[in-house]
Amino acid sequence: MAEEFAHDAANTRYTVTVDGEPAGFAEYAETTDGVLDFHHTVIDPAFRGRGLSGKLIAHALGEVRAAGKKIIPSCSAVERFIEKNPDQSDLVA
């Protein structure tokens, strides 16, 4: 199972594909001060149960950190990820 993660900046989302098939996304809105409000995460039902949500969020937050930005975890999946990974809490605006 080949998982690929990408930033689709044009559609303000991070995506995951599995074996070339779209499997899910974490969508955000950028605030006027450059903070990314992650408000919606979806994993296609056919790909659930594989831990893709956590992997996708981890990838997205890694890129946010590398860019020196902060987030608002409006999405419950992102909020739970931060709770389970307190080392990422410094990214919260």
Side-chain angles (χ1 to χ4, degrees):
M1 173 172 76
E3 301 168 356
E4 293 186 30
F5 301 92
H7 184 198
D8 179 359
N11 291 305
T12 60
R13 59 175 53 179
Y14 287 87
T15 62
V16 58
T17 58
V18 176
D19 295 330
E21 295 292 322
F25 61 87
E27 196 168 56
Y28 65 87
E30 189 162 0
T31 66
T32 55
D33 55 356
V35 175
L36 303 183
D37 180 357
F38 279 88
H39 58 84
H40 195 56
T41 302
V42 174
I43 299 298
D44 185 288
F47 296 96
R48 290 186 185 156
R50 302 180 189 191
L52 290 176
S53 176
K55 292 177 186 178
L56 174 59
I57 293 167
H59 172 81
L61 296 186
E63 289 204 1
V64 168
R65 181 177 301 285
K69 295 193 174 197
K70 299 281 186 183
I71 70 157
I72 299 169
S74 295
C75 170
S76 60
V78 176
E79 183 178 34
R80 279 192 308 275
F81 182 88
I82 298 285
E83 288 171 1
K84 291 179 181 179
N85 298 277
D87 59 313
Q88 301 293 322
S89 64
D90 62 311
L91 290 173
V92 178

